[in-house]
C-alpha cells in the first residue's frame, strides 16, 4: 500500500476520534440527565467502532473519556441522594411497624403511670365504669387470638397434667394462702372480721383474664395453655367459689351460673374465636390490623388498672388501707412464689420448665378480684368486706405486669 495513503487514513481516524470525544464532552455539559449521557456515549462509541478506519483493537471497548465518566457518576450520585428509593420508603414503613409492635414492652411502665394518675386525679379514670370491663378484657383476648391458631389450643389440651397443676394453684394453694393472711389480719393485727373475710373472699374466686395476657407477653407459646386454665377455673367457679367461701368464711355465696357462663363467652371464647377465624380466613386483614393491636392493648390495660383504683379510692385510703395493702401484697407475692416454686418441683424434668413456671405463677397469683368485689358488694352488708378486693384489683395487676417486665427481658430458657 502507498505510504501516503496509510498516513492519510491514520490522520482521518485521529481527526474523527478527536471530534467524537469533543462531542461527548459537550453533551456531558449540555444534558443534565445521567440516562441521556449514557445513551449518547454508547451511540458515539458505537459509531466510532463501526468506522471503516477504526483500528481493530478498539472494537468492543468502551470509548468514553475519563472526564465524561466522572461527570456521569457525579450526576447519578446526586440524583440517587435526592430521589427516595422504594427500599428506603419500605425501611421507614417497617420502622413504624416495629415501633407499633413493640408497644407491649412499655405496658408495665404504663400500668405504674396509670396507678399514679388514678391516685392523684381519680376523675381521669372514673368514667371507665365496670360496664366497660368485659369488652376491654375481650379486646385483650382478641389481640391474643389473632396471634394464635387452633393447633396451639390442641397442643395445650394435650397437656392435662399442666392444666391440673394450674387449677390446683388457683383453687388449692391460693385459698390456703387466703385463709392464712385473713387469719393474720384478724388474730394478729386485730383488724375487723370483715377485712379478714374480704381477704379470704379474694382467694376463692377464679383466675383473671389478665393472667392470659401477661403470659402472652412473656411466653407467647404458653398463652393457649393459660387461656385453657383460666377458662376451666372460671367455668367451675360457679360451684367451687361458693364451696370455698362456706369453708373459709362460713357463708355460702351463691354465684350466678348464667352470668358466669355469659362472662366466659363474652370475655374469653368469642374474642379468641374471632381472632382465630380472622387469622385463618382473612390473613390480609389480620396482617393490616395486627400492628395496631399492641398500642391499643396498652391503652386498654391502663384503663383496666386505673379505673378500679379510681372508683374504689375511698376504700384504698381508708383507715385500714395501709394494713390491708400490706396483707394483700403478701398474699399475692406468696401466691406468685408458690406457683413458680411448686411447678418447678413438679415439672423439673420437662424441657420448657421455666416457661411453665412463669405461666402457673401468673395463674396462681392473679385472680378475678373484680368478681370478688362484686360478691362483696352484693352479699355483705359491711362495706369493709369490699376493701381487700378493691385493693387486690390494683396490686394484682401491678405485680403481674412487674413480673412481665422482669421475665420478658430474660433469655428464653427451655
Amino acid at each position: 500500500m502507498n505510504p501516503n495513503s496509510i498516513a492519510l487514513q491514520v490522520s482521518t481516524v485521529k481527526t474523527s476520534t478527536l471530534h467524537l470525544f469533543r462531542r461527548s464532552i459537550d453533551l456531558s455539559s449540555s444534558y443534565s440527565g445521567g440516562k441521556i449521557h449514557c445513551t449518547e456515549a454508547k451511540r458515539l462509541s458505537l459509531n466510532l467502532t463501526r468506522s471503516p478506519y477504526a483500528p481493530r483493537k478498539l472494537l468492543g471497548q468502551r470509548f468514553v473519556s475519563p472526564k465524561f465518566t466522572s461527570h456521569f457518576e457525579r450526576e447519578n450520585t446526586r440524583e440517587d441522594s435526592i430521589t427516595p428509593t422504594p427500599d428506603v420508603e419500605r425501611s421507614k414503613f417497617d420502622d413504624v411497624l416495629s415501633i407499633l409492635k413493640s408497644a407491649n414492652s412499655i405496658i408495665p411502665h404504663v400500668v405504674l403511670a396509670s396507678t399514679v394518675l388514678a391516685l392523684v386525679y381519680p376523675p381521669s379514670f372514673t368514667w371507665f365504669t365496670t360496664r366497660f370491663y368485659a369488652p376491654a378484657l375481650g379486646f385483650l383476648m382478641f389481640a391474643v387470638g389473632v396471634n394464635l391458631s387452633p393447633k396451639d389450643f390442641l397442643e395445650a389440651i394435650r397437656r392435662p397434667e399442666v392444666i391440673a397443676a394450674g387449677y390446683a394453684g388457683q383453687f388449692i394453694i391460693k385459698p390456703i394462702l387466703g385463709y392464712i393472711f385473713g387469719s393474720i389480719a384478724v388474730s394478729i393485727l386485730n383488724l375487723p372480721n370483715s377485712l379478714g373475710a374480704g381477704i379470704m373472699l379474694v382467694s376463692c374466686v377464679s383466675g383473671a383474664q389478665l393472667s392470659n395476657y401477661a403470659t402472652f407477653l412473656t411466653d407467647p407459646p404458653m398463652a393457649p395453655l393459660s387461656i385453657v386454665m383460666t377458662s376451666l377455673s372460671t367455668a367451675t367457679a360457679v360451684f367451687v367459689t361458693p364451696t370455698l367461701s362456706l369453708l373459709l368464711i362460713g357463708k355460702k355465696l351463691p354465684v350466678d351460673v348464667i352470668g358466669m357462663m355469659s362472662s366466659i363467652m363474652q370475655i374469653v371464647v368469642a374474642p379468641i374465636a374471632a381472632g382465630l377465624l380472622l387469622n385463618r380466613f382473612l390473613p390480609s386483614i389480620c396482617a393490616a390490623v395486627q400492628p395496631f393491636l399492641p398500642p391499643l392493648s396498652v391503652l386498654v390495660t391502663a384503663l383496666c388498672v386505673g379505673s378500679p383504683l379510681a372508683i374504689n379510692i375511698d376504700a384504698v385510703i381508708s383507715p385500714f388501707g395501709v394494713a390491708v395493702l400490706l396483707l394483700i401484697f403478701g398474699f399475692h407475692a406468696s401466691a406468685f412464689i408458690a406457683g413458680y416454686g411448686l411447678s418447678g418441683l413438679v415439672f423439673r424434668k420437662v424441657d420448657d420448665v421455666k416457661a411453665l413456671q412463669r405461666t402457673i405463677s401468673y395463674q396462681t397469683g392473679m385472680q378475678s378480684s373484680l368478681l370478688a368485689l362484686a360478691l362483696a358488694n352484693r352479699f355483705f352488708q359491711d362495706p369493709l368486706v369490699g376493701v381487700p378486693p378493691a385493693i387486690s384489683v390494683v396490686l394484682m395487676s401491678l405485680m403481674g405486669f412487674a413480673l412481665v417486665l422482669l421475665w420478658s427481658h430474660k433469655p428464653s430458657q427451655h
Side-chain angles (χ1 to χ4, degrees):
M1 182 178 291
N2 190 347
N4 293 331
S5 177
I6 294 173
L8 179 61
Q9 291 181 7
V10 171
S11 175
T12 302
V13 170
K14 290 181 177 180
T15 304
S16 177
T17 301
L18 182 60
H19 177 68
L20 289 172
F21 275 115
R22 286 176 178 174
R23 283 191 63 189
S24 68
I25 295 170
D26 293 339
L27 283 170
S28 67
S29 61
S30 61
Y31 291 99
S32 60
K35 184 175 180 180
I36 297 176
H37 299 341
C38 185
T39 304
E40 288 296 326
K42 288 182 178 179
R43 185 176 62 80
L44 294 174
S45 177
L46 184 62
N47 291 338
L48 177 61
T49 56
R50 288 178 177 175
S51 172
Y53 302 105
R56 190 172 300 274
K57 67 178 181 179
L58 297 177
L59 293 175
Q61 294 185 1
R62 186 181 180 186
F63 221 91
V64 183
S65 71
K67 183 177 181 179
F68 177 82
T69 303
S70 62
H71 179 80
F72 173 67
E73 290 174 349
R74 286 197 301 272
E75 288 292 325
N76 273 348
T77 303
R78 190 182 303 115
E79 289 181 6
D80 291 342
S81 63
I82 295 174
T83 305
T85 64
D87 291 339
V88 173
E89 294 176 353
R90 181 171 294 277
S91 176
K92 293 179 179 179
F93 181 70
D94 291 341
D95 291 342
V96 174
L97 291 182
S98 178
I99 293 173
L100 291 175
K101 291 178 180 179
S102 63
N104 282 332
S105 62
I106 65 171
I107 278 185
H109 306 85
V110 173
V111 167
L112 180 60
S114 62
T115 301
V116 174
L117 182 59
L119 288 171
V120 175
Y121 187 65
S124 59
F125 289 100
T126 50
W127 62 270
F128 194 80
T129 57
T130 53
R131 64 193 179 100
F132 295 116
Y133 290 169
L137 293 174
F139 171 78
L140 294 180
M141 292 300 98
F142 172 78
V144 174
V146 297
N147 290 281
L148 301 175
S149 67
K151 181 182 176 182
D152 297 325
F153 287 93
L154 291 176
E155 293 178 354
I157 295 173
R158 291 171 185 160
R159 306 185 74 173
E161 71 284 355
V162 178
I163 297 174
Y167 193 85
Q170 192 67 238
F171 282 138
I172 296 178
I173 296 175
K174 191 181 63 178
I176 292 175
L177 292 173
Y179 181 78
I180 292 173
F181 281 91
S183 299
I184 292 174
V186 176
S187 302
I188 298 178
L189 300 180
N190 295 320
L191 296 177
N193 290 335
S194 54
L195 291 176
I199 295 174
M200 295 179 188
L201 181 59
V202 170
S203 69
C204 295
V205 294
S206 57
Q209 282 76 26
L210 278 179
S211 66
N212 307 148
Y213 192 58
T215 300
F216 172 72
L217 296 177
T218 307
D219 301 286
M222 291 292 164
L225 199 57
S226 177
I227 292 169
V228 171
M229 292 178 188
T230 302
S231 301
L232 181 61
S233 68
T234 305
T236 58
V238 295
F239 311 108
V240 179
T241 297
T243 303
L244 289 173
S245 63
L246 178 62
L247 292 174
L248 300 184
I249 306 173
K251 183 175 182 179
K252 187 174 182 178
L253 303 179
V255 178
D256 183 9
V257 177
I258 297 177
M260 189 69 75
M261 293 303 173
S262 175
S263 176
I264 296 174
M265 289 299 300
Q266 292 179 28
I267 297 176
V268 180
V269 178
I272 290 177
L276 292 174
L277 292 175
L278 187 68
N279 194 2
R280 175 67 178 83
F281 296 105
L282 297 172
S284 58
I285 297 178
C286 184
V289 302
Q290 270 183 328
F292 301 97
L293 293 180
L296 289 175
S297 298
V298 171
L299 175 62
V300 171
T301 304
L303 292 174
C304 289
V305 173
S307 174
L309 176 59
I311 293 173
N312 300 282
I313 190 68
D314 293 336
V316 175
I317 62 176
S318 65
F320 304 105
V322 176
V324 176
L325 182 71
L326 294 175
L327 287 169
I328 291 295
F329 178 84
F331 164 71
H332 284 295
S334 300
F336 279 118
I337 294 172
Y340 188 88
L342 294 177
S343 59
L345 293 176
V346 175
F347 301 107
R348 60 184 179 278
K349 296 182 179 180
V350 179
D351 292 337
D352 54 353
V353 59
K354 291 299 181 182
L356 284 178
Q357 286 182 270
R358 292 188 286 263
T359 301
I360 295 178
S361 178
Y362 286 133
Q363 283 294 311
T364 309
M366 303 177 74
Q367 56 279 326
S368 184
S369 301
L370 287 174
L371 174 60
L373 181 59
L375 292 174
N377 293 334
R378 183 175 180 181
F379 297 107
F380 290 88
Q381 294 181 352
D382 193 337
L384 289 179
V385 178
V387 174
I391 295 176
S392 174
V393 173
V394 180
L395 272 186
M396 173 200 68
S397 303
L398 284 174
M399 296 174 72
F401 286 109
L403 289 176
V404 170
L405 180 64
L406 175 66
W407 284 335
S408 61
H409 287 77
K410 285 185 174 295
S412 180
Q413 299 177 21
H414 299 287

